[in-house]
Amino acid sequence: MSEFAPDAGFRKNRKLKDALLRHKAFSKDGFSERLFGLLFSGLVYPQIWEDPDLDMQAMELKPNHRIVTIGSGGCNMLAYLSKAPASIDVVDLNPHHIALNRLKLAAFKHLPGHADLVRFLAMPNEKSNSRAYDQHLAARLDEATRSYWNGRKFGRRRVTVFDRNIYETGLLGRFIGAAHLLARLHGVKLREMTKTRSIREQRQFFDEQIAPLFEKPVVRWITGRKSSLFGLGIPPQQYDELASLAADHSIAPVLKHRLEKLACHFPMSDNYFAWQAFGHRYGTEEEGPLPTYLKSEHYQVIRANVDRVNVHHASFTELLAREPAASRDRYILLDAQDWMTDEQLNDVWREITRTAREGARVIFRTAAEKSIIEGRLAPMIRDQWDYFEEKSRELTALDRSAIYGGFHIYGKKA
């Protein structure tokens, strides 16, 4: 495990600055990049916002597979462990995500049982969680991770967030909270969506309560600014991709369409992403599902395999450059390529191609519908990969998280 500086802000986080900054500081675009960087240098995703069940369908994981993935909130990395792969290397540029990933791994390994794990990672307002951390986890964490969770923010130890509701925190959690507040100011209680009992009722609530919000002048004004979506972890480059989908380059219709999919295309009883968006929590056992990694049927196999994971404070390219040729089988890039310049895109794919075994697969998501790599990769790299276009379209439609325009699968040619 590579070490990380648990309290390094954007100014000191060279890895994040190298990935994000493209323009001069005093330009309009440069200001947007630096504002996003400041926001992104804190905890962003308490829960990852990509559907791991789709990932595992696309990857067809086998026990001999060696995986490289971006960490984010850590949920998907743990879900992959349910297939008992040979190894998982987790990379992230955000030290807060590194600390969260390592804590989740420790919780699986050292909390006494499945009920304790669910209480710690999924249930709000459980005042015993910080005591469970002190009793079972703190002494077993590496020094940097322990220092992070024992560190104080606003006078309280960071770990006490698990006594309250971690999913109301982080950049994403605060964004969802702000959306709820904005809706309430217009007379709409988004939490009422969690009381629906059928897709028909979900559709009715969306059409009558949520859809009209997107026509409100203040909503259109807010969503017309790039900074409005920083709370979703969407950088300026990704905002431009989304805006390009609308004829008037307004983001509001695009957001409405994505939210409609989240609200109406999957039953609430089968979509924990919708529970987080509308309820700011997971459903109880009677109401809705837990994330894949917290389901009881996967507990024992994940717990048995947590030592197969290594978490690195590094970029995808940086990690792979240290690894031997033909040494990895599956690569998960999330939506990171939407941030990248052509040079960065080619750098990461050059290392993926070099380290990929025969039959390797790469999966990623994009804000817009089309694959981000087409027309941008050097032919000598692109020609070594097949695009599974039909399967990609099929799985895009099934993505419960609903916020991405495209899900894409590539396979290494023999």
Side-chain angles (χ1 to χ4, degrees), residues 142-165:
D142 62 274
E143 184 177 350
T145 305
R146 183 168 58 251
S147 175
Y148 175 88
W149 291 109
N150 284 336
R152 293 188 176 272
K153 186 175 183 181
F154 305 124
R156 296 184 289 196
R157 285 196 305 160
R158 276 198 179 98
V159 73
T160 61
V161 72
F162 292 96
D163 293 341
R164 303 186 299 276
N165 185 353

PDB file of all heavy atoms in Angstrom, residues 142-165:
ATOM      1  N   ASP A 142      -3.446   1.044   9.116  1.00  0.00           N
ATOM      2  CA  ASP A 142      -2.123   1.636   8.952  1.00  0.00           C
ATOM      3  C   ASP A 142      -2.131   3.030   9.573  1.00  0.00           C
ATOM      4  O   ASP A 142      -3.186   3.633   9.790  1.00  0.00           O
ATOM      5  CB  ASP A 142      -1.747   1.701   7.467  1.00  0.00           C
ATOM      6  CG  ASP A 142      -2.687   2.580   6.664  1.00  0.00           C
ATOM      7  OD1 ASP A 142      -3.742   2.073   6.219  1.00  0.00           O
ATOM      8  OD2 ASP A 142      -2.375   3.763   6.504  1.00  0.00           O
ATOM      9  N   GLU A 143      -0.956   3.553   9.865  1.00  0.00           N
ATOM     10  CA  GLU A 143      -0.849   4.796  10.630  1.00  0.00           C
ATOM     11  C   GLU A 143      -1.534   5.971   9.937  1.00  0.00           C
ATOM     12  O   GLU A 143      -2.221   6.776  10.584  1.00  0.00           O
ATOM     13  CB  GLU A 143       0.625   5.127  10.876  1.00  0.00           C
ATOM     14  CG  GLU A 143       0.829   6.352  11.748  1.00  0.00           C
ATOM     15  CD  GLU A 143       2.291   6.619  12.043  1.00  0.00           C
ATOM     16  OE1 GLU A 143       3.129   5.744  11.731  1.00  0.00           O
ATOM     17  OE2 GLU A 143       2.603   7.701  12.581  1.00  0.00           O
ATOM     18  N   ALA A 144      -1.370   6.102   8.611  1.00  0.00           N
ATOM     19  CA  ALA A 144      -1.954   7.234   7.901  1.00  0.00           C
ATOM     20  C   ALA A 144      -3.489   7.174   7.934  1.00  0.00           C
ATOM     21  O   ALA A 144      -4.157   8.203   8.124  1.00  0.00           O
ATOM     22  CB  ALA A 144      -1.463   7.269   6.456  1.00  0.00           C
ATOM     23  N   THR A 145      -4.059   5.989   7.744  1.00  0.00           N
ATOM     24  CA  THR A 145      -5.516   5.852   7.756  1.00  0.00           C
ATOM     25  C   THR A 145      -6.068   6.090   9.153  1.00  0.00           C
ATOM     26  O   THR A 145      -7.096   6.757   9.328  1.00  0.00           O
ATOM     27  CB  THR A 145      -5.925   4.458   7.242  1.00  0.00           C
ATOM     28  OG1 THR A 145      -5.352   4.248   5.955  1.00  0.00           O
ATOM     29  CG2 THR A 145      -7.438   4.329   7.153  1.00  0.00           C
ATOM     30  N   ARG A 146      -5.404   5.549  10.160  1.00  0.00           N
ATOM     31  CA  ARG A 146      -5.836   5.784  11.552  1.00  0.00           C
ATOM     32  C   ARG A 146      -5.767   7.274  11.885  1.00  0.00           C
ATOM     33  O   ARG A 146      -6.675   7.830  12.521  1.00  0.00           O
ATOM     34  CB  ARG A 146      -4.971   4.971  12.507  1.00  0.00           C
ATOM     35  CG  ARG A 146      -5.389   5.105  13.969  1.00  0.00           C
ATOM     36  CD  ARG A 146      -4.702   4.079  14.850  1.00  0.00           C
ATOM     37  NE  ARG A 146      -3.246   4.187  14.768  1.00  0.00           N
ATOM     38  CZ  ARG A 146      -2.455   3.297  14.163  1.00  0.00           C
ATOM     39  NH1 ARG A 146      -3.002   2.232  13.566  1.00  0.00           N
ATOM     40  NH2 ARG A 146      -1.154   3.458  14.126  1.00  0.00           N
ATOM     41  N   SER A 147      -4.705   7.935  11.452  1.00  0.00           N
ATOM     42  CA  SER A 147      -4.563   9.375  11.696  1.00  0.00           C
ATOM     43  C   SER A 147      -5.695  10.153  11.036  1.00  0.00           C
ATOM     44  O   SER A 147      -6.208  11.118  11.612  1.00  0.00           O
ATOM     45  CB  SER A 147      -3.205   9.855  11.164  1.00  0.00           C
ATOM     46  OG  SER A 147      -3.085  11.247  11.269  1.00  0.00           O
ATOM     47  N   TYR A 148      -6.084   9.731   9.839  1.00  0.00           N
ATOM     48  CA  TYR A 148      -7.175  10.405   9.139  1.00  0.00           C
ATOM     49  C   TYR A 148      -8.476  10.302   9.936  1.00  0.00           C
ATOM     50  O   TYR A 148      -9.139  11.315  10.204  1.00  0.00           O
ATOM     51  CB  TYR A 148      -7.367   9.804   7.748  1.00  0.00           C
ATOM     52  CG  TYR A 148      -8.548  10.377   7.006  1.00  0.00           C
ATOM     53  CD1 TYR A 148      -8.412  11.517   6.228  1.00  0.00           C
ATOM     54  CD2 TYR A 148      -9.812   9.785   7.097  1.00  0.00           C
ATOM     55  CE1 TYR A 148      -9.494  12.062   5.551  1.00  0.00           C
ATOM     56  CE2 TYR A 148     -10.908  10.327   6.429  1.00  0.00           C
ATOM     57  CZ  TYR A 148     -10.741  11.457   5.660  1.00  0.00           C
ATOM     58  OH  TYR A 148     -11.829  11.987   5.015  1.00  0.00           O
ATOM     59  N   TRP A 149      -8.874   9.095  10.319  1.00  0.00           N
ATOM     60  CA  TRP A 149     -10.176   8.915  10.973  1.00  0.00           C
ATOM     61  C   TRP A 149     -10.174   9.405  12.415  1.00  0.00           C
ATOM     62  O   TRP A 149     -11.228   9.779  12.939  1.00  0.00           O
ATOM     63  CB  TRP A 149     -10.617   7.450  10.884  1.00  0.00           C
ATOM     64  CG  TRP A 149     -10.956   7.078   9.481  1.00  0.00           C
ATOM     65  CD1 TRP A 149     -10.251   6.269   8.639  1.00  0.00           C
ATOM     66  CD2 TRP A 149     -12.075   7.546   8.721  1.00  0.00           C
ATOM     67  NE1 TRP A 149     -10.847   6.212   7.410  1.00  0.00           N
ATOM     68  CE2 TRP A 149     -11.974   6.973   7.421  1.00  0.00           C
ATOM     69  CE3 TRP A 149     -13.147   8.388   9.003  1.00  0.00           C
ATOM     70  CZ2 TRP A 149     -12.921   7.224   6.425  1.00  0.00           C
ATOM     71  CZ3 TRP A 149     -14.085   8.642   8.003  1.00  0.00           C
ATOM     72  CH2 TRP A 149     -13.967   8.064   6.737  1.00  0.00           C
ATOM     73  N   ASN A 150      -9.015   9.447  13.055  1.00  0.00           N
ATOM     74  CA  ASN A 150      -8.922  10.022  14.397  1.00  0.00           C
ATOM     75  C   ASN A 150      -8.789  11.545  14.353  1.00  0.00           C
ATOM     76  O   ASN A 150      -8.957  12.211  15.379  1.00  0.00           O
ATOM     77  CB  ASN A 150      -7.731   9.433  15.166  1.00  0.00           C
ATOM     78  CG  ASN A 150      -8.013   8.036  15.674  1.00  0.00           C
ATOM     79  OD1 ASN A 150      -9.170   7.653  15.861  1.00  0.00           O
ATOM     80  ND2 ASN A 150      -6.968   7.256  15.894  1.00  0.00           N
ATOM     81  N   GLY A 151      -8.444  12.085  13.182  1.00  0.00           N
ATOM     82  CA  GLY A 151      -8.311  13.531  13.040  1.00  0.00           C
ATOM     83  C   GLY A 151      -9.647  14.227  13.242  1.00  0.00           C
ATOM     84  O   GLY A 151     -10.717  13.630  13.117  1.00  0.00           O
ATOM     85  N   ARG A 152      -9.565  15.509  13.559  1.00  0.00           N
ATOM     86  CA  ARG A 152     -10.768  16.269  13.898  1.00  0.00           C
ATOM     87  C   ARG A 152     -11.166  17.222  12.781  1.00  0.00           C
ATOM     88  O   ARG A 152     -10.317  17.815  12.126  1.00  0.00           O
ATOM     89  CB  ARG A 152     -10.565  17.041  15.202  1.00  0.00           C
ATOM     90  CG  ARG A 152     -10.439  16.103  16.401  1.00  0.00           C
ATOM     91  CD  ARG A 152     -10.437  16.816  17.727  1.00  0.00           C
ATOM     92  NE  ARG A 152     -10.402  15.828  18.798  1.00  0.00           N
ATOM     93  CZ  ARG A 152     -11.474  15.260  19.346  1.00  0.00           C
ATOM     94  NH1 ARG A 152     -12.682  15.634  18.928  1.00  0.00           N
ATOM     95  NH2 ARG A 152     -11.356  14.366  20.301  1.00  0.00           N
ATOM     96  N   LYS A 153     -12.471  17.348  12.598  1.00  0.00           N
ATOM     97  CA  LYS A 153     -13.050  18.305  11.669  1.00  0.00           C
ATOM     98  C   LYS A 153     -14.219  18.971  12.381  1.00  0.00           C
ATOM     99  O   LYS A 153     -15.123  18.290  12.864  1.00  0.00           O
ATOM    100  CB  LYS A 153     -13.516  17.598  10.388  1.00  0.00           C
ATOM    101  CG  LYS A 153     -14.001  18.571   9.324  1.00  0.00           C
ATOM    102  CD  LYS A 153     -14.332  17.838   8.035  1.00  0.00           C
ATOM    103  CE  LYS A 153     -14.757  18.836   6.952  1.00  0.00           C
ATOM    104  NZ  LYS A 153     -15.107  18.145   5.692  1.00  0.00           N
ATOM    105  N   PHE A 154     -14.170  20.287  12.475  1.00  0.00           N
ATOM    106  CA  PHE A 154     -15.179  21.043  13.223  1.00  0.00           C
ATOM    107  C   PHE A 154     -15.298  20.536  14.665  1.00  0.00           C
ATOM    108  O   PHE A 154     -16.387  20.450  15.228  1.00  0.00           O
ATOM    109  CB  PHE A 154     -16.542  20.975  12.531  1.00  0.00           C
ATOM    110  CG  PHE A 154     -16.517  21.415  11.097  1.00  0.00           C
ATOM    111  CD1 PHE A 154     -16.968  20.579  10.081  1.00  0.00           C
ATOM    112  CD2 PHE A 154     -16.028  22.660  10.751  1.00  0.00           C
ATOM    113  CE1 PHE A 154     -16.940  20.995   8.757  1.00  0.00           C
ATOM    114  CE2 PHE A 154     -15.992  23.077   9.415  1.00  0.00           C
ATOM    115  CZ  PHE A 154     -16.442  22.239   8.421  1.00  0.00           C
ATOM    116  N   GLY A 155     -14.153  20.160  15.234  1.00  0.00           N
ATOM    117  CA  GLY A 155     -14.111  19.780  16.636  1.00  0.00           C
ATOM    118  C   GLY A 155     -14.449  18.331  16.931  1.00  0.00           C
ATOM    119  O   GLY A 155     -14.301  17.879  18.072  1.00  0.00           O
ATOM    120  N   ARG A 156     -14.913  17.574  15.931  1.00  0.00           N
ATOM    121  CA  ARG A 156     -15.274  16.177  16.161  1.00  0.00           C
ATOM    122  C   ARG A 156     -14.345  15.259  15.374  1.00  0.00           C
ATOM    123  O   ARG A 156     -13.894  15.606  14.278  1.00  0.00           O
ATOM    124  CB  ARG A 156     -16.721  15.917  15.720  1.00  0.00           C
ATOM    125  CG  ARG A 156     -17.745  16.693  16.509  1.00  0.00           C
ATOM    126  CD  ARG A 156     -19.163  16.340  16.096  1.00  0.00           C
ATOM    127  NE  ARG A 156     -19.517  16.840  14.771  1.00  0.00           N
ATOM    128  CZ  ARG A 156     -20.756  16.941  14.314  1.00  0.00           C
ATOM    129  NH1 ARG A 156     -21.772  16.548  15.075  1.00  0.00           N
ATOM    130  NH2 ARG A 156     -21.001  17.404  13.111  1.00  0.00           N
ATOM    131  N   ARG A 157     -14.062  14.088  15.937  1.00  0.00           N
ATOM    132  CA  ARG A 157     -13.270  13.120  15.186  1.00  0.00           C
ATOM    133  C   ARG A 157     -14.007  12.754  13.901  1.00  0.00           C
ATOM    134  O   ARG A 157     -15.227  12.594  13.886  1.00  0.00           O
ATOM    135  CB  ARG A 157     -13.040  11.856  16.013  1.00  0.00           C
ATOM    136  CG  ARG A 157     -12.031  11.992  17.127  1.00  0.00           C
ATOM    137  CD  ARG A 157     -11.590  10.619  17.633  1.00  0.00           C
ATOM    138  NE  ARG A 157     -12.717   9.800  18.045  1.00  0.00           N
ATOM    139  CZ  ARG A 157     -12.674   8.472  18.166  1.00  0.00           C
ATOM    140  NH1 ARG A 157     -11.567   7.810  17.871  1.00  0.00           N
ATOM    141  NH2 ARG A 157     -13.737   7.797  18.561  1.00  0.00           N
ATOM    142  N   ARG A 158     -13.246  12.584  12.830  1.00  0.00           N
ATOM    143  CA  ARG A 158     -13.871  12.265  11.546  1.00  0.00           C
ATOM    144  C   ARG A 158     -14.712  10.994  11.621  1.00  0.00           C
ATOM    145  O   ARG A 158     -15.744  10.886  10.971  1.00  0.00           O
ATOM    146  CB  ARG A 158     -12.785  12.095  10.473  1.00  0.00           C
ATOM    147  CG  ARG A 158     -12.308  13.393   9.837  1.00  0.00           C
ATOM    148  CD  ARG A 158     -11.596  13.082   8.539  1.00  0.00           C
ATOM    149  NE  ARG A 158     -11.138  14.279   7.867  1.00  0.00           N
ATOM    150  CZ  ARG A 158      -9.905  14.744   7.936  1.00  0.00           C
ATOM    151  NH1 ARG A 158      -9.007  14.109   8.692  1.00  0.00           N
ATOM    152  NH2 ARG A 158      -9.551  15.834   7.296  1.00  0.00           N
ATOM    153  N   VAL A 159     -14.247  10.008  12.375  1.00  0.00           N
ATOM    154  CA  VAL A 159     -14.952   8.724  12.400  1.00  0.00           C
ATOM    155  C   VAL A 159     -16.362   8.847  12.965  1.00  0.00           C
ATOM    156  O   VAL A 159     -17.219   7.997  12.691  1.00  0.00           O
ATOM    157  CB  VAL A 159     -14.131   7.679  13.189  1.00  0.00           C
ATOM    158  CG1 VAL A 159     -14.167   7.957  14.696  1.00  0.00           C
ATOM    159  CG2 VAL A 159     -14.602   6.265  12.871  1.00  0.00           C
ATOM    160  N   THR A 160     -16.641   9.917  13.727  1.00  0.00           N
ATOM    161  CA  THR A 160     -17.986  10.060  14.290  1.00  0.00           C
ATOM    162  C   THR A 160     -19.033  10.315  13.218  1.00  0.00           C
ATOM    163  O   THR A 160     -20.235  10.277  13.509  1.00  0.00           O
ATOM    164  CB  THR A 160     -18.044  11.186  15.342  1.00  0.00           C
ATOM    165  OG1 THR A 160     -17.688  12.436  14.724  1.00  0.00           O
ATOM    166  CG2 THR A 160     -17.096  10.900  16.502  1.00  0.00           C
ATOM    167  N   VAL A 161     -18.611  10.559  11.973  1.00  0.00           N
ATOM    168  CA  VAL A 161     -19.588  10.688  10.896  1.00  0.00           C
ATOM    169  C   VAL A 161     -20.398   9.410  10.745  1.00  0.00           C
ATOM    170  O   VAL A 161     -21.563   9.436  10.317  1.00  0.00           O
ATOM    171  CB  VAL A 161     -18.886  11.064   9.567  1.00  0.00           C
ATOM    172  CG1 VAL A 161     -18.093   9.892   9.003  1.00  0.00           C
ATOM    173  CG2 VAL A 161     -19.891  11.551   8.532  1.00  0.00           C
ATOM    174  N   PHE A 162     -19.815   8.271  11.123  1.00  0.00           N
ATOM    175  CA  PHE A 162     -20.546   7.004  11.053  1.00  0.00           C
ATOM    176  C   PHE A 162     -21.571   6.878  12.179  1.00  0.00           C
ATOM    177  O   PHE A 162     -22.444   6.006  12.124  1.00  0.00           O
ATOM    178  CB  PHE A 162     -19.570   5.824  11.092  1.00  0.00           C
ATOM    179  CG  PHE A 162     -18.717   5.716   9.851  1.00  0.00           C
ATOM    180  CD1 PHE A 162     -17.440   6.254   9.823  1.00  0.00           C
ATOM    181  CD2 PHE A 162     -19.205   5.109   8.711  1.00  0.00           C
ATOM    182  CE1 PHE A 162     -16.657   6.158   8.679  1.00  0.00           C
ATOM    183  CE2 PHE A 162     -18.438   5.017   7.570  1.00  0.00           C
ATOM    184  CZ  PHE A 162     -17.156   5.555   7.548  1.00  0.00           C
ATOM    185  N   ASP A 163     -21.484   7.732  13.198  1.00  0.00           N
ATOM    186  CA  ASP A 163     -22.528   7.786  14.221  1.00  0.00           C
ATOM    187  C   ASP A 163     -23.757   8.531  13.717  1.00  0.00           C
ATOM    188  O   ASP A 163     -24.835   8.416  14.286  1.00  0.00           O
ATOM    189  CB  ASP A 163     -22.020   8.507  15.478  1.00  0.00           C
ATOM    190  CG  ASP A 163     -20.933   7.741  16.208  1.00  0.00           C
ATOM    191  OD1 ASP A 163     -20.806   6.523  15.975  1.00  0.00           O
ATOM    192  OD2 ASP A 163     -20.211   8.370  17.003  1.00  0.00           O
ATOM    193  N   ARG A 164     -23.555   9.334  12.663  1.00  0.00           N
ATOM    194  CA  ARG A 164     -24.646  10.168  12.133  1.00  0.00           C
ATOM    195  C   ARG A 164     -25.112   9.574  10.803  1.00  0.00           C
ATOM    196  O   ARG A 164     -25.887   8.625  10.792  1.00  0.00           O
ATOM    197  CB  ARG A 164     -24.163  11.618  12.007  1.00  0.00           C
ATOM    198  CG  ARG A 164     -23.650  12.183  13.352  1.00  0.00           C
ATOM    199  CD  ARG A 164     -23.293  13.662  13.286  1.00  0.00           C
ATOM    200  NE  ARG A 164     -22.247  13.966  12.335  1.00  0.00           N
ATOM    201  CZ  ARG A 164     -20.936  13.866  12.598  1.00  0.00           C
ATOM    202  NH1 ARG A 164     -20.518  13.417  13.770  1.00  0.00           N
ATOM    203  NH2 ARG A 164     -20.030  14.200  11.690  1.00  0.00           N
ATOM    204  N   ASN A 165     -24.642  10.118   9.704  1.00  0.00           N
ATOM    205  CA  ASN A 165     -24.997   9.578   8.384  1.00  0.00           C
ATOM    206  C   ASN A 165     -23.935  10.017   7.398  1.00  0.00           C
ATOM    207  O   ASN A 165     -23.966  11.155   6.911  1.00  0.00           O
ATOM    208  CB  ASN A 165     -26.378  10.078   7.932  1.00  0.00           C
ATOM    209  CG  ASN A 165     -26.826   9.431   6.618  1.00  0.00           C
ATOM    210  OD1 ASN A 165     -26.064   8.715   5.965  1.00  0.00           O
ATOM    211  ND2 ASN A 165     -28.070   9.685   6.229  1.00  0.00           N
TER     212      ASN A 165
END
